[in-house]
Amino acid sequence: MTYFARKFGFFLATLWAVVTLNFLIPRLQPGDPAEIMVKRMAGKDAALDQAQVEAMRAMLGTPTDSLWHQYISYLGELIHGNFGLSYTYYPFPVTEVIAQAFWWTVVLVTIAQVLSFVGGVVLGAYAAWRRNSRFDSVVTLGSTFLGTLQPFWIGLLLLYVFGYSLGWFPTSGGYEEATPGWNWPFIQEAVSHAFLPALALLIVTPIGWILGMRNTMIMNLGEDYIRLAKAKGLPDRDVALKYAARNALLPSVTGFALALGGVLGGAILVETVFDYPGMGRLMGEAVEQKDYPLLQALMLLTTVGVLLANLVADLLYGVLDPRARRAEG
Amino acid sequence: MTLLDVRDLSVRYEPKASRPLDAVQGVTFSIEPGEFVGLIGESGSGKTTLGTALLRLLQRPGRISGGSIEFNGTDITSLPEDELRSLRWRDLSTVFQSSMNSLNPVVRVEAQFRDAIEQHSSLRGEAVTRRIRELFDMVIIDPKFMSAFPHELSGGMRQRVNLALALALDPKFILLDEPTTGLDVVVQHSILENVRRLQAEQGFAVLFISHDIGTVLDLSDRILVMYAGRIVEDQTAGALLRRPLHPYTKGLLGSYGDPREETVKITYVPGRPPDLSREMTGCSFAPRCPERIERCLETDPPLLPLLGGRAACHVAHLQHEEGGAGPHGEPKRGFEGPQFVKTADESRSALANEVVLSVENVSKVFERRRGFTVTRTEAVSDVSFELRRGEVTALVGQSGSGKSTLAKMITGVETPTEGRIVFHGPDGDKLVSGFKGRALRDYRSNVQMVFQDPYSSINPAKRLGYVLSRPLVNYQGLKGEELRERVKELLERVALTPAERFINRYGYELSGGQRQRVIIAKALAVEPEIIVADEPISSLDVSIRAEILELLNDLVKENDVGILYITHDLLSARMLSDEVIVLNNGKVVEKGPTLGVIRDPKDDYTRTLLDAIPNPF
Ligand SMILES: Nc1ncnc2c1ncn2[C@@H]1O[C@H](COP(=O)(O)OP(=O)(O)O)[C@@H](O)[C@H]1O
Ligand code: SF4
Ligand SMILES: [Mg+2]
């Protein structure tokens, strides 16, 4: 049990450190932090844009209070989800802007990641079990080939062929005119818009899982406990699943949790190519527009996502591998 | 009816990257129901390959390339896997070599019994649990460990669990492949006792593979001796001990000495076994054989019946035909090879030498913090002894007795909690625990460690010349021609000759014994006053052990170094050491001249250690 408690404690401590650093860094220099931040992003010589400074100040708080007061009120704002106003979408609060994009990304990328993972691991395991068979060669060579292609390029190709040339799928956006919500027309539109970006992800993402799983599994197949399982006269299926795959899966599961945490990073490219209204595209915009409050909130969100994913990975590993629990316990 | 009948069996490995090799060549033997057969030979002789082939578990690139295996009247040589599956574990089971990894690490032990039992019997649910509990009782393990994960068991327990697993379905035949190699002598002894008792009670047949002839003689009814992929001798254990037929068997027997003798003498077989991937004419043992005659180099001796057993040796057969009176003379009992002799006199004079290290009332307490509780373990408590120049002191005890902690304090890696260690070096007396930085470095050049595992302690990807020049450059600042000369000298010293051939070889190309030599050469590079050798031979073959012991012994005599020899094995302590210190739970329970302690042990624990030495005599 202490293993889990410790991992959770570690998560909380890191989270606190991240949040606090996020507070401290802009305040370390003398002067009005809001102005400094805006200047830094706009370049030294550009004229100060007062709207930007206002947006920044709404987020950073009043510089006249004592640092301690500022910190307390910063934490308070955070807890209430108040990240200030977006400059790009002025005067909408950052939280609202993000909330609109959030589900698009989460649904698209999560579904694509989960499918990629499950498919990749199954293919990789089967290829390893039947190694040197035709199936194995096709899978291995195929993945290696696809792996050499740029994901960006695959996205463009899909967009060109199925979007512009054939016209089977829409080429941008998340939906057309239906009202968002649980109604049939909207769901139809959402699915058809998500199809190509998801396909692009589904072509690129499983490659790592396939090759990784195949390698670990082949390594594990040489282990004594696999030989012993065969010597015990267990059916092939049991040896493959309960002995070989069960062990080979461990590193992949951790990797998967981490990959989910990095969803936002992976989303930028696809969402930009397909002009998909998710957080990835938003991040791209925020960088381009130098929308500091928005960028900062997205960064904080990403960091929390990665930390959470780490926590989940650790906890999962602890559940799946009894050795991990003790090794540090 | 014969239980296992193997005829002319050959196994070939066809690796992608190197030449094919015939690891098993035309092997013929049989095992009767309930018979305990030993299979002995040095590592690489093909024992594991043969065993794996018998169980039809060979993996690529290995395959059965000829001959047949008949089990209980069924030819299983090419039986389809589906039909074989019903024989597996119910009739043929096994405990693997290095079976530390043979349990699935992420599944509880109980489940790994259950799947096998349910696969092959009609037992289900509670009945299976009862059976598992019964099996745990058989191997003397508390059934509460049924719900443990493999890593929660100690090495000895894991091995017992593997044994219990092998017995789960009352098999007719069990293959034991070096089931206790790597464990403490005492643990080994008790597990093998357990095997012997269960075999007597339950009557399964055993093929027991080992490279340790003492244990094999101790346990087996009949012994097969394997050399370079072939069976070279097959006799009952008693006959083999009384009248070995093949010179290789004589060599193996010679590696055992009686530790109680005033002078222990062990012989060893020089050289290495042949490369199996090359064609050979004549007897494959000929290059190492002291009894070799002309014919041996021309024709390969077949394995033929002789004196109730079988032997593959021209000379043995000729001597028998001539009745011992012909040109080939009387059969010899011993092996006329290099000898390693240790006399009691030598020890007496060594113990009068000048002291180089004194350990005075040393204790070491480790504190482990877990949450808010602190557990204190006293790893070493109040230990005192002296090490002399030109002398070997053996530190003997089971794992966990504090040997390695003591070694770490002596090399300055750990600091004693109490007491002191004094080094009487060339610059006067120095307190070991006070060394820091440069002083510690200087001290380390006087005290060298040789570790247990020769495989992990040299970088396999570097040439030996580089490995050996490192300490010379670091500690003595040698370079150029001088450096090269010194490296060659070191290689010659540890008998890696000719040095030119070895200087450019890589670590991974060497055998275990050769690597251990390199490590010793590396230790010698800095001309140390003290060598701490922590189980330097326990991972090596018996015949190679003798060579390494001999090498260490020469170092002591010629260079006046003091060796602290750490081991769990009193027999090897007797061969090498002048004084012995027996440690149990961090305390010295007995101390004295080695021969005296072995002949007349005062402490119960020493007696346990002594009893654990296999005694075929
Ligand atoms: N998987 C393998 N591929 C190629 N050669 C092998 C393989 N396994 C063992 N060998 C070779 O077969 C010979 C016999 O090895 P092994 O059966 O392990 O002997 P032992 O058990 O007596 O130590 C050795 O020369 C070894 O190098
Ligand atoms: S056949 Fe010759 S070389 Fe071979 S073991 Fe016998 S005597 Fe030695
Ligand atoms: Mg072996």
Side-chain angles (χ1 to χ4, degrees):
Chain A
M1 223 55 243
T2 48
Y3 172 85
F4 297 106
R6 209 178 37 247
K7 291 293 173 196
F8 192 68
F10 183 74
F11 165 73
L12 287 181
T14 331
L15 186 62
W16 172 80
V18 165
V19 164
T20 306
L21 277 177
N22 197 37
F23 165 81
L24 279 179
I25 289 172
R27 288 170 178 78
L28 285 178
Q29 308 100 325
D32 181 349
E35 277 182 26
I36 293 172
M37 297 303 309
V38 172
K39 257 201 200 130
R40 160 124 38 87
M41 285 191 298
K44 272 203 189 69
D45 309 321
L48 262 190
D49 181 333
Q50 219 41 55
Q52 265 192 347
V53 177
E54 276 314 308
M56 191 74 71
R57 191 161 290 140
M59 179 194 74
L60 291 178
T62 341
T64 45
D65 276 355
S66 76
L67 206 59
W68 179 246
H69 269 107
Q70 288 182 45
Y71 184 55
I72 296 293
S73 70
Y74 162 83
L75 287 184
E77 300 285 320
L78 268 196
I79 289 166
H80 293 105
N82 196 347
F83 289 90
L85 303 182
S86 162
Y87 172 67
T88 328
Y89 295 91
Y90 195 78
F92 286 100
V94 166
T95 339
E96 223 166 278
V97 176
I98 292 182
Q100 290 213 337
F102 185 75
W103 291 109
W104 291 103
T105 298
V106 168
V107 171
L108 169 72
V109 184
T110 310
I111 289 181
Q113 286 280 7
V114 170
L115 287 181
S116 299
F117 176 73
V118 174
V121 160
V122 169
L123 283 180
Y126 194 70
W129 183 252
R130 294 254 166 272
R131 68 177 171 287
N132 298 329
S133 67
R134 176 169 304 171
F135 178 84
D136 180 29
S137 320
V138 169
V139 167
T140 316
L141 287 178
S143 329
T144 317
F145 170 69
L146 285 177
T148 59
L149 300 179
Q150 286 294 325
F152 181 68
W153 194 80
I154 292 180
L156 283 182
L157 192 72
L158 289 177
L159 196 62
Y160 180 74
V161 175
F162 297 103
Y164 292 108
S165 297
L166 296 172
W168 291 356
F169 295 97
T171 54
S172 72
Y175 63 104
E176 302 285 324
E177 49 234 6
T179 356
W182 283 114
N183 58 72
W184 185 236
F186 173 71
I187 292 175
Q188 259 180 323
E189 281 179 10
V191 168
S192 79
H193 278 83
F195 191 83
L196 285 185
L199 189 61
L201 286 173
L202 279 175
I203 291 176
V204 186
T205 340
I207 294 171
W209 302 126
I210 293 177
L211 297 179
M213 182 67 181
R214 181 177 174 276
N215 283 348
T216 334
M217 177 106 164
I218 285 182
M219 237 162 61
N220 279 24
L221 284 175
E223 293 283 347
D224 280 342
Y225 54 79
I226 307 288
R227 273 204 306 148
L228 194 84
K230 283 187 193 149
K232 286 202 286 193
L234 300 180
D236 276 359
R237 187 175 23 92
D238 285 10
V239 180
L241 294 179
K242 293 189 189 150
Y243 285 75
R246 171 85 164 71
N247 277 285
L249 203 56
L250 292 176
S252 297
V253 166
T254 341
F256 179 60
L258 294 180
L260 274 187
V263 153
L264 201 52
I268 297 183
L269 209 75
V270 187
E271 292 186 0
T272 316
V273 172
F274 291 94
D275 196 17
Y276 195 74
M279 286 195 297
R281 196 183 71 179
L282 204 57
M283 179 95 95
E285 281 172 6
V287 171
E288 203 155 295
Q289 302 290 328
K290 308 201 163 71
D291 186 345
Y292 186 74
L294 182 57
L295 194 59
Q296 174 182 259
L298 283 171
M299 286 300 204
L300 202 61
L301 203 64
T302 316
T303 317
V304 172
V306 171
L307 283 180
L308 259 177
N310 257 308
L311 176 69
V312 172
D314 280 347
L315 297 186
L316 256 176
Y317 208 87
V319 171
L320 292 176
D321 190 346
R323 287 165 299 183
R325 263 173 273 162
R326 199 191 61 163
E328 302 166 46
Chain B
M1 189 175 66
T2 299
L3 182 66
L4 182 70
D5 197 14
V6 179
R7 286 192 187 283
D8 226 8
L9 187 71
S10 298
V11 177
R12 168 169 270 234
Y13 286 108
E14 286 165 330
K16 284 203 187 94
S18 55
R19 270 182 313 223
L21 66 94
D22 296 302
V24 173
Q25 306 172 359
V27 162
T28 300
F29 68 93
S30 59
I31 294 180
E32 300 302 315
E35 200 181 9
F36 200 119
V37 177
L39 176 62
I40 181 156
E42 63 202 294
S43 60
S45 58
K47 307 180 298 293
T48 299
T49 305
L50 175 57
T52 317
L54 297 181
L55 299 174
R56 283 279 315 276
L57 286 173
L58 281 175
Q59 277 173 342
R60 248 189 302 221
R63 64 180 173 87
I64 295 178
S65 53
S68 67
I69 307 163
E70 207 170 279
F71 183 80
N72 218 4
T74 318
D75 186 342
I76 59 167
T77 330
S78 49
L79 201 64
E81 188 58 42
D82 288 340
E83 291 170 48
L84 201 58
R85 194 166 293 141
S86 62
L87 290 182
R88 289 196 186 287
W89 223 251
R90 222 190 53 211
D91 285 341
L92 300 144
S93 73
T94 178
V95 175
F96 282 140
Q97 176 169 17
S98 75
S99 48
M100 291 307 157
N101 301 322
S102 60
L103 295 171
N104 188 344
V106 298
V107 176
R108 289 181 199 281
V109 172
E110 181 180 349
Q112 308 192 40
F113 278 73
R114 188 173 287 274
D115 60 5
I117 294 174
E118 292 188 351
Q119 179 70 31
H120 298 287
S121 74
S122 54
L123 298 185
R124 291 293 178 275
E126 190 50 35
V128 179
T129 318
R130 240 176 290 129
R131 174 67 182 153
I132 304 175
R133 196 164 290 135
E134 200 177 292
L135 290 163
F136 270 61
D137 282 340
M138 279 183 208
V139 296
I140 328 175
I141 290 189
D142 189 332
K144 78 171 188 222
F145 287 107
M146 278 165 65
S147 61
F149 286 103
H151 71 268
E152 293 167 335
L153 308 175
S154 70
M157 277 162 82
R158 233 179 288 179
Q159 217 48 339
R160 284 180 189 274
V161 167
N162 275 307
L163 182 61
L165 184 56
L167 297 173
L169 295 151
D170 284 327
K172 297 190 180 69
F173 173 77
I174 302 186
L175 173 78
L176 301 174
D177 189 352
E178 314 219 5
T180 58
T181 302
L183 298 175
D184 260 355
V185 216
V186 175
V187 179
Q188 261 185 43
H189 183 68
S190 82
I191 292 181
L192 292 176
E193 275 301 311
N194 203 185
V195 169
R196 195 208 316 253
R197 185 175 53 77
L198 289 168
Q199 196 259 346
E201 285 168 16
Q202 307 187 1
F204 46 84
V206 176
L207 181 63
F208 175 70
I209 298 180
S210 173
H211 65 248
D212 180 6
I213 198 162
T215 356
V216 171
L217 278 167
D218 231 9
L219 291 170
S220 318
D221 302 324
R222 191 156 57 89
I223 293 175
L224 304 169
V225 182
M226 196 162 185
Y227 185 77
R230 304 179 184 213
I231 304 289
V232 296
E233 175 160 354
D234 170 5
Q235 283 211 84
T236 60
L240 184 128
L241 180 61
R242 241 180 307 115
R243 192 198 51 220
L245 299 172
H246 196 279
Y248 181 58
T249 315
K250 297 174 193 170
L252 292 174
L253 283 171
S255 63
Y256 252 82
D258 188 343
R260 288 169 193 83
E261 297 281 330
E262 179 83 12
T263 301
V264 246
K265 212 184 289 171
I266 53 174
T267 54
Y268 57 87
V269 183
R272 305 265 64 225
D275 179 351
L276 292 174
S277 64
R278 292 181 195 277
E279 276 297 320
M280 256 193 101
T281 43
C283 173
S284 53
F285 189 60
R288 307 168 75 184
C289 182
E291 300 188 31
R292 180 184 56 222
I293 55 173
E294 205 62 41
R295 186 189 296 188
C296 305
L297 297 170
E298 288 148 16
T299 40
D300 189 8
L303 181 64
L304 295 173
L306 181 66
L307 293 165
R310 293 183 299 162
C313 172
H314 293 309
V315 172
H317 284 280
L318 286 169
Q319 284 169 337
H320 179 66
E321 282 158 23
E322 295 161 359
H328 299 100
E330 289 274 332
K332 298 189 176 74
R333 161 85 178 55
F335 184 83
E336 288 165 1
Q339 270 191 355
F340 173 45
V341 184
K342 181 84 180 178
T343 66
D345 275 343
E346 269 169 45
S347 290
R348 270 188 283 277
S349 70
L351 286 173
N353 292 351
E354 169 196 356
V355 174
V356 65
L357 184 87
S358 24
V359 173
E360 299 167 10
N361 306 93
V362 163
S363 301
K364 177 75 190 177
V365 178
F366 288 109
E367 290 190 350
R368 265 188 60 208
R369 201 172 289 278
R370 244 192 139 177
F372 295 103
T373 50
V374 178
T375 38
R376 285 166 45 94
T377 353
E378 189 158 43
V380 171
S381 93
D382 197 22
V383 170
S384 305
F385 66 89
E386 285 169 336
L387 182 67
R388 294 171 177 79
R389 288 180 200 285
E391 182 245 347
V392 181
T393 295
L395 218 49
V396 183
Q398 275 174 277
S399 52
S401 60
K403 304 181 304 259
S404 295
T405 309
L406 204 49
K408 281 185 191 148
M409 291 190 282
I410 288 170
T411 46
V413 178
E414 297 271 4
T415 318
T417 318
E418 268 171 64
R420 46 183 225 148
I421 299 172
V422 183
F423 173 57
H424 311 281
D427 318 319
D429 293 359
K430 292 260 170 61
L431 203 60
V432 171
S433 52
F435 292 137
K436 289 207 180 57
R438 225 199 122 66
L440 183 62
R441 219 185 72 139
D442 287 347
Y443 176 63
R444 292 258 170 87
S445 75
N446 286 313
V447 179
Q448 284 287 307
M449 285 284 301
V450 173
F451 290 103
Q452 181 166 11
D453 181 9
Y455 290 92
S456 60
S457 27
I458 50 176
N459 187 342
K462 297 281 188 219
R463 291 178 198 274
L464 298 191
Y466 175 80
V467 170
L468 291 179
S469 59
R470 279 267 306 281
L472 292 171
V473 173
N474 289 347
Y475 288 105
Q476 294 170 3
L478 297 186
K479 35 181 192 294
E481 198 47 38
E482 201 184 354
L483 178 63
R484 204 181 153 73
E485 279 310 307
R486 184 87 176 95
V487 168
K488 278 202 266 179
E489 205 181 297
L490 284 171
L491 284 168
E492 309 254 337
R493 273 274 285 295
V494 296
L496 291 173
T497 46
E500 282 81 8
R501 276 247 319 276
F502 283 95
I503 209 163
N504 283 324
R505 291 180 71 178
Y506 290 96
Y508 69 81
E509 298 174 317
L510 304 182
S511 68
Q514 287 174 327
R515 285 184 198 217
Q516 198 58 284
R517 283 166 189 277
V518 174
I519 292 165
I520 293 174
K522 202 173 138 194
L524 291 177
V526 297
E527 292 170 14
E529 311 267 326
I530 298 174
I531 293 179
V532 178
D534 193 349
E535 303 270 13
I537 60 169
S538 63
S539 63
L540 302 175
D541 256 8
V542 179
S543 59
I544 305 168
R545 287 182 188 184
E547 289 177 43
I548 299 292
L549 287 178
E550 166 107 77
L551 175 63
L552 291 173
N553 193 44
D554 288 348
L555 292 178
V556 176
K557 281 197 205 146
E558 288 161 22
N559 297 65
D560 250 16
V561 290
I563 294 189
L564 187 64
Y565 175 63
I566 299 178
T567 182
H568 61 244
D569 174 19
L570 262 178
L571 180 58
S572 70
R574 167 68 184 105
M575 316 270 214
L576 188 63
S577 73
D578 307 298
E579 190 181 41
V580 65
I581 292 159
V582 183
L583 274 184
N584 188 17
N585 292 326
K587 293 191 189 62
V588 175
V589 294
E590 188 149 2
K591 187 167 121 179
T594 311
L595 186 59
V597 169
I598 283 182
R599 279 194 176 159
D600 184 19
K602 297 280 184 296
D603 186 82
D604 278 346
Y605 182 70
T606 317
R607 242 169 263 138
T608 315
L609 287 175
L610 267 174
D611 287 342
I613 300 176
N615 187 3
F617 305 102

